[in-house]
Amino acid sequence: MKFDMTITDNFASFFDEQKGSHIFIDSFDNENFEVRIGSLEDSKPAGNIVAFTDDELNSKLLELYNKHIVGA
């Protein structure tokens, strides 16, 4: 899974075709990002990320996503 979100984005969503999972990310202050994973109809909180650069955000998204998918 590859993420290409920027810290200036207030919202992003991604779809993992291999796993059939949707990932939704929201931010109101462009530092704290709330992540939900699931389907369009039913997603669950996966965690919160604090990031100050695009690279930091995308690497933390990948780490959180991989933890969630492996633990599922």
Side-chain angles (χ1 to χ4, degrees):
M1 184 76 201
K2 180 171 172 34
F3 295 98
D4 60 355
M5 187 172 178
T6 67
I7 59 168
T8 58
D9 294 335
N10 292 330
F11 174 81
S13 64
F14 299 92
F15 180 66
D16 184 346
E17 291 182 23
Q18 290 181 332
K19 303 289 185 185
S21 293
H22 292 270
I23 304 95
F24 306 100
I25 304 107
D26 288 305
S27 179
F28 295 100
D29 62 6
N30 301 104
E31 289 179 7
N32 298 288
F33 298 85
E34 296 179 20
V35 181
R36 297 181 64 85
I37 298 174
S39 67
L40 291 175
E41 297 81 21
D42 182 34
S43 64
K44 297 189 179 3
N48 295 313
I49 293 173
V50 176
F52 300 100
T53 68
D54 297 346
D55 289 338
E56 181 182 24
L57 173 60
N58 290 308
S59 67
K60 287 183 176 182
L61 283 171
L62 182 59
E63 182 180 341
L64 180 65
Y65 180 68
N66 285 336
K67 281 183 186 177
H68 178 78
I69 291 302
V70 169

